Amino acid sequence: MAPGMLASEDPKNTHDFPAKLTCQVFLCSIIAAFGGLMFGYDIGISGGVTSMDDFLEKFFPSVYVKKHHARENNYCKYDNQYLQMFTSSLYLAAIVFSFFASIVCKKYGRKPAMQAASLFFLVGVALTAGAQNLIMLIIGRICLGAGVGFGNQAVPLFISEIAPPKYRGGLNVCFQLLITIGILTANLVNYFTSNLKNIGWRVSLAGAAVPALALAVGSLAILETPTSLLERGHEEKSLKNLRKIRGTDDVDKEFSIISHAVEVAKQVKHPFRNLMKRSSRPQLVCGTILQVFQQFTGINVIMFYAPVLFQTMGFGSDASLLSAVVTGSVNVATTFVAVFGVDFFGRKVLLIEAVVQMLICQAATGFIFLFHLHENNTMPPAFAKVVLVLVCLFVGGFAWSWGPLGWLIPSEIYPIETRTAGFFFAVSMNMLCTFLIAQVFLTMLCHLKSGTFFFFSAFIIIMGIFAIFFLPETKGVPIDEMNERRWKRHWYWKRYFNDDNNNDNDNNNNNDQNNVKTSGVNGSHANGNGNRRFMSQALQYKDGQVQVKMQEKN
């Protein structure tokens, strides 16, 4: 019989070491999550600024003329590639810089990557707020994109690595929570600056300096993750930091798990090449496709262009900005459901429930646009209010599910040897899809009209099917034991480990025989044919767990 591996501990026992939520972990997580506040503020500020007349008149005069043309098609007022490039250029830059961020994370640590994010962002703020022409504006957006690329690469990894398994979901959702707070803050700033003649848009863009400064200053006080320190050979400092963030000296078991994972990772000289191996395919597929689904829910249609969308429906300028504040408030409030619910309900329950909720809202909005908003009319006020309610329900469903979990799950599913490389693919795919949506939505709205909402509805159906059948539940599993406890036991993905398991077992037998004492217990029994078989047992330490190897011999 081929060798098989049976865990000697209950896989449901996910809290194998002290898991207190210490003040040190909480403060480090909140400071790091200010990277999300930067990102969120930029998402929220873009749509409001692009609806301001002073901004359009200075940089996009053709759009300004179309906006105020009485007979202009409702769906096509803002269809301008340069205007869309203002929003989307940031995300194109983020794709490129997230690659460099992954290298910085691995070679220099998560903390320096976060500090670099804040510096890039500050430079971008200075250029955009002080822009005198379109070129200066776009260069500023590229610098902001560099900051987003570094921040989105480093922050979720940082939080996942310092958080105890029991609280990892809630702490990581703080990143998404601050994104939503950033969006709401930007909407409020836009509402109050929209009436400032000539300088309103500059004040709005300059406000992004506040979260960037907070991250720059706060990052000086946070501790580097024990995993990152071990990766770079700082064993004593790693153990010291682990004791600090756990608030106890009893960290030997957790430290040995991290050490084992790091030792395995050191054998991988080319993590990006290792990602292409068969055994890395489940995490790579799930981590990247989650980003596609997150963006193709259509959420950034709402977040980027909420004021534009509400003006299309017939709201006035101030009313459209105020409506964006309402949706932003719902976004923040409902994210708290994820903060407190993700480690209680689990990841999959929230994802699947939200699919149903978002599908209903997206499809209903499409039908209202189809029947009540034509090229040259204004949507009846009653239906416009219904759309606002549907948008709020849609945002709520996204905010407690695909929004935060789209960042959380990819940050916790990779083994350490491919973690930074794998998360780079996740961040890059997110930025690529965000770029595509930001660049083409206004054109889609012009040509597809109400069909735009049905386009996104189709993706919501697909992502629901994926969440039900192909996404394993990662709730409460120690980050360095995810392969053993989830991927190798999943009904579909386990086949990607079958070929590697035999090789891994042979290698582990050779590597561990000098380090692990084995004890054999021999017994015999007769089968139906009268043959005698002997059972041997040996204890091994593999991937942070005690394993029992069972082998039958004739």
Side-chain angles (χ1 to χ4, degrees):
M1 181 183 291
M5 300 300 293
L6 301 174
S8 68
E9 59 187 39
D10 184 355
K12 295 181 180 179
N13 179 19
T14 58
H15 312 307
D16 300 316
F17 35 78
K20 292 191 300 181
L21 179 58
T22 63
C23 289
Q24 188 72 53
V25 168
F26 183 75
L27 289 175
C28 285
S29 298
I30 294 299
I31 291 170
F34 267 85
L37 190 63
M38 292 191 318
F39 185 30
Y41 186 90
D42 185 83
I43 290 174
I45 215 70
S46 302
V49 166
T50 54
S51 70
M52 293 182 185
D53 287 347
D54 292 336
F55 178 81
L56 292 175
E57 194 172 14
K58 182 174 180 62
F59 296 107
F60 307 99
S62 63
V63 178
Y64 176 79
V65 172
K66 287 168 66 177
K67 176 182 175 182
H68 293 280
H69 197 293
R71 295 185 179 179
E72 183 61 43
N73 186 326
N74 275 325
Y75 290 101
C76 299
K77 288 180 178 180
Y78 293 89
D79 180 20
N80 181 280
Q81 289 298 310
Y82 291 109
L83 179 61
Q84 291 175 122
M85 181 59 74
F86 164 74
T87 300
S88 63
S89 57
L90 181 149
Y91 303 98
L92 197 59
I95 296 171
V96 176
F97 281 93
S98 61
F99 171 75
F100 296 106
S102 69
I103 296 173
V104 171
C105 279
K106 189 168 184 67
K107 289 192 173 182
Y108 303 102
R110 285 46 162 165
K111 182 175 175 178
M114 288 186 283
Q115 291 170 330
S118 62
L119 293 177
F120 276 121
F121 217 79
L122 287 171
V123 173
V125 168
L127 289 171
T128 54
Q132 297 302 314
N133 52 59
L134 186 58
I135 293 177
M136 187 174 177
L137 189 70
I138 297 299
I139 292 174
R141 293 289 291 175
I142 291 171
C143 290
L144 291 173
V148 168
F150 269 81
N152 287 8
Q153 175 74 26
V155 172
L157 286 179
F158 176 87
I159 296 175
S160 287
E161 289 181 346
I162 68 168
K166 184 178 178 180
Y167 302 105
R168 186 176 65 241
L171 288 174
N172 215 304
V173 171
C174 287
F175 177 69
Q176 177 69 19
L177 176 63
L178 287 190
I179 290 178
T180 65
I181 291 173
I183 293 170
L184 174 60
T185 302
N187 289 335
L188 288 168
V189 169
N190 281 335
Y191 180 71
F192 289 109
T193 60
S194 61
N195 294 319
L196 297 177
K197 189 67 175 174
N198 295 325
I199 64 167
W201 64 271
R202 293 189 188 275
V203 174
S204 291
L205 293 175
V210 175
L213 283 170
L215 180 62
V217 174
S219 64
L220 299 175
I222 65 177
L223 297 172
E224 182 60 271
T225 71
T227 300
S228 177
L229 288 168
L230 265 180
E231 276 185 306
R232 292 175 288 122
H234 305 297
E235 186 172 342
E236 290 186 7
K237 192 172 181 180
S238 174
L239 182 58
K240 181 180 178 181
N241 279 11
L242 185 59
R243 286 171 175 161
K244 281 184 179 180
I245 63 178
R246 293 291 177 259
T248 178
D249 289 336
D250 182 21
V251 295
D252 290 345
K253 183 172 183 180
E254 183 176 6
F255 189 73
S256 68
I257 291 173
I258 298 172
S259 299
H260 176 76
V262 169
E263 284 303 313
V264 171
K266 285 181 178 178
Q267 307 305 314
V268 179
K269 302 302 181 183
H270 305 286
F272 283 95
R273 188 184 305 167
N274 206 58
L275 264 182
M276 299 302 110
K277 289 185 177 180
R278 180 178 171 83
S279 59
S280 296
R281 202 171 301 163
Q283 302 96 317
L284 182 62
V285 169
C286 290
T288 52
I289 204 168
L290 277 174
Q291 310 308 311
V292 177
F293 290 149
Q294 186 198 68
Q295 294 308 310
F296 278 81
T297 58
I299 185 61
N300 278 336
V301 168
I302 308 299
M303 294 296 104
F304 287 152
Y305 299 118
V308 172
L309 187 63
F310 290 128
Q311 282 193 23
T312 294
M313 291 158 48
F315 286 91
S317 181
D318 287 347
S320 66
L321 289 172
L322 185 59
S323 298
V325 170
V326 172
T327 58
S329 300
V330 171
N331 198 17
V332 173
T334 50
T335 301
F336 280 100
V337 176
V339 171
F340 297 106
V342 68
D343 290 315
F344 180 78
F345 297 109
R347 282 60 161 158
K348 292 188 67 167
V349 170
L350 294 178
L351 292 174
I352 295 166
E353 184 281 331
V355 161
V356 177
Q357 183 173 331
M358 290 190 296
L359 178 61
I360 293 171
C361 294
Q362 191 78 272
T365 301
F367 280 115
I368 292 175
F369 269 66
L370 176 63
F371 293 111
H372 297 288
L373 183 67
H374 304 293
E375 293 183 357
N376 299 106
N377 75 312
T378 298
M379 183 180 290
F383 285 101
K385 292 175 183 176
V386 172
V387 169
L388 179 58
V389 172
L390 289 171
V391 167
C392 288
L393 290 172
F394 176 88
V395 168
F398 178 87
W400 66 55
S401 60
W402 292 86
L405 302 187
W407 292 109
L408 167 61
I409 293 172
S411 74
E412 64 184 3
I413 60 176
Y414 287 98
I416 188 174
E417 60 265 25
T418 57
R419 190 170 299 158
T420 55
F423 199 65
F424 157 72
F425 274 94
V427 173
S428 297
M429 183 59 71
N430 188 285
M431 294 298 104
L432 176 60
C433 293
T434 306
F435 166 76
L436 291 174
I437 294 297
Q439 186 63 31
V440 305
F441 169 67
L442 294 178
T443 301
M444 284 176 63
L445 188 63
C446 180
H447 291 86
L448 295 180
K449 301 180 176 61
S450 59
T452 303
F453 299 96
F454 299 118
F455 170 82
F456 290 121
S457 296
F459 272 93
I460 293 175
I461 294 171
I462 295 170
M463 62 200 249
I465 294 171
F466 179 85
I468 292 170
F469 294 106
F470 295 101
L471 196 65
E473 177 58 69
T474 55
K475 168 189 169 184
V477 181
I479 192 170
D480 290 311
E481 299 184 15
M482 202 66 71
N483 271 2
E484 292 297 324
R485 297 193 182 191
R486 288 296 180 263
W487 296 106
K488 292 183 181 180
R489 301 181 183 192
H490 188 271
W491 73 272
Y492 179 78
W493 298 119
K494 66 182 180 182
R495 70 189 65 188
Y496 288 86
F497 296 92
N498 289 342
D499 294 338
D500 293 337
N501 282 347
N502 291 335
N503 293 332
D504 289 343
N505 291 341
D506 292 340
N507 291 335
N508 285 328
N509 290 341
N510 294 331
N511 293 335
D512 291 342
Q513 50 182 274
N514 293 327
N515 301 323
V516 181
K517 294 181 178 180
T518 62
S519 60
V521 181
N522 294 326
S524 63
H525 67 278
N527 62 13
N529 296 323
N531 294 328
R532 311 252 337 151
R533 291 185 178 181
F534 297 94
M535 304 296 296
S536 65
Q537 293 183 330
L539 292 178
Q540 293 185 13
Y541 193 79
K542 182 176 183 286
D543 289 334
Q545 304 181 64
V546 177
Q547 305 279 340
V548 180
K549 189 176 92 171
M550 307 290 295
Q551 185 171 11
E552 292 186 353
K553 298 180 180 178
N554 289 327

